[in-house]
Amino acid sequence: MSAKIIDGKAVAASIREELKGRVAELAQRGITPGLSVILVGDNPASQVYVRNKERACIGVGMNSQVIRMPETTTQEELLDRIDQLNADPSVHGILVQLPVPNGIDSWQVIQRIDPKKDVDGFHPVNTGALFSGEPGLIPCTPKGCLELIKREGIDIAGKNAVVVGRSNIVGKPMALLLLSEHATVTICHSRTKDLGAVTREADILVVAIGRAQMITGDMIKPGACVIDVGMNRLPDGKLCGDVDFASAEQVAGFITPVPGGVGPMTIAELLVNTYEACVRNG
Ligand code: NDP
């Protein structure tokens, strides 16, 4: 059997297209959603991510502002800048690109962003809302993973879902989202014993570890839906996921590729969050 490949690039493109129409409708009422991204320091990967976010925003007709602050920025200077954006009515979404340089406390930074503008969904008000099943802004990557599963028409209720990874930005919110869709959810991490025995029980397997090609076909239940969040560079420079695609696609029913799976969805969901923040809070 060969798995159906879930084309995240195509799904993300259709989300952006849908959004373009809704943004155009808002524009007729004189409203343009605006995203401000703060980049502190000159981490090359962060610079690429920020550029992509800016381009995507402009592509759907939203305003985008990138605020570049030097590596030497102090915690106070960064918090002051966030306060200014919190107070600016033309800014509907604020995001501080992580990681921030040493010496800056990212937890303080996350807490300073107005939760209504927290389009990354990392503020404790938003993570608390997700925990409680209340409306709020949901972290973009897990939100994108759920959207891929749903748009593929895969039933989640009553299924065994396994999430490998328990980070605050992917694993934990992913598990909560699957739980809210009535899956029976198991979370695995580096201390999990016999990982393969757990993953082989998964009807839906979401992998966010950060280790190249760690999940192999023999760890996957035949017919399972496999969502690979991982983004790793192989020694030859090629991008690959946390799932060994070649062996996994022989066993899985559905699988996301890397690149072209979850990655494009993360940016699409950031745009959706910015739009939603604008509509909710004008
Ligand atoms: P973190 O490093 O924050 O978390 C990794 C998780 O994997 C931890 O919970 C860790 O367990 C677990 N883990 C590590 N080793 C093992 C192991 N041998 N067996 C089982 N679990 C293990 O990573 P992130 O969640 O931030 O990111 C995960 C991956 O997703 C990375 O490749 C990242 O680049 C990618 N990513 C992709 C995005 C996209 O848009 N496509 C967005 C965000 C991330 P423990 O807690 O015990 O240490």
Side-chain angles (χ1 to χ4, degrees):
M1 191 173 77
S2 195
K4 174 169 185 220
I5 294 169
I6 300 176
D7 186 348
K9 209 171 156 188
V11 176
S14 68
I15 290 174
R16 287 202 307 270
E17 217 37 54
E18 290 160 21
L19 206 52
K20 221 179 193 171
R22 287 193 272 158
V23 170
E25 278 168 29
L26 276 186
Q28 287 177 352
R29 293 173 19 214
I31 303 166
T32 306
L35 173 69
S36 289
V37 177
I38 304 181
L39 174 61
V40 188
D42 40 31
N43 179 317
S46 294
Q47 303 219 21
V48 175
Y49 295 145
V50 165
R51 245 197 324 272
N52 290 342
K53 287 169 187 175
E54 186 178 25
R55 252 187 238 141
C57 252
I58 293 165
V60 295
M62 294 184 183
N63 288 332
S64 167
Q65 177 193 25
V66 177
I67 298 160
R68 293 185 166 78
M69 300 181 80
E71 188 87 20
T72 51
T73 301
T74 64
Q75 173 100 6
E76 276 315 306
E77 285 166 339
L78 177 55
L79 295 180
D80 283 351
R81 198 69 187 86
I82 293 171
D83 288 343
Q84 288 166 18
L85 297 174
N86 283 341
D88 183 341
S90 71
V91 174
H92 305 96
I94 304 170
L95 175 163
V96 177
Q97 184 66 42
L98 300 177
V100 283
N102 289 339
I104 293 182
D105 177 354
S106 58
W107 179 231
Q108 294 287 330
V109 168
I110 288 167
Q111 288 184 90
R112 193 65 161 244
I113 297 171
D114 180 344
K116 295 196 219 64
K117 299 189 178 189
D118 166 42
V119 283
D120 258 342
F122 297 159
H123 190 288
V125 165
N126 284 315
T127 55
L130 178 59
F131 184 93
S132 305
E134 296 296 331
L137 289 162
I138 295 168
C140 304
T141 301
K143 191 178 180 192
C145 294
L146 184 66
E147 193 65 24
L148 284 179
I149 299 168
K150 283 186 165 175
R151 288 197 183 216
E152 205 51 60
I154 292 163
D155 279 336
I156 303 175
K159 295 285 175 62
N160 283 340
V162 173
V163 179
V164 190
R166 56 174 165 180
S167 70
N168 289 338
I169 63 168
V170 189
K172 280 186 213 163
M174 188 73 238
L176 286 169
L177 284 174
L178 288 163
L179 187 62
S180 72
E181 297 291 330
H182 314 294
T184 302
V185 182
T186 307
I187 306 173
C188 300
H189 45 78
S190 65
R191 311 282 185 95
T192 298
K193 293 201 165 54
D194 198 354
L195 183 64
V198 185
T199 56
R200 268 191 296 276
E201 294 297 316
D203 303 305
I204 297 168
L205 177 62
V206 182
V207 186
I209 311 172
R211 283 171 196 252
Q213 300 168 329
M214 207 189 110
I215 303 294
T216 45
D218 60 320
M219 300 167 80
I220 294 169
K221 180 176 180 175
C225 170
V226 179
I227 306 290
D228 186 356
V229 182
M231 276 207 292
N232 312 286
R233 286 259 167 227
L234 291 170
D236 65 4
K238 278 199 188 124
L239 205 59
C240 78
D242 292 344
V243 175
D244 175 42
F245 188 84
S247 63
E249 74 152 344
Q250 300 300 315
V251 185
F254 302 84
I255 189 166
T256 59
V258 178
V262 173
M265 290 298 288
T266 297
I267 292 197
E269 294 299 344
L270 173 66
L271 303 179
V272 172
N273 276 355
T274 305
Y275 172 84
E276 285 176 358
C278 173
V279 170
R280 276 188 213 150
N281 309 302

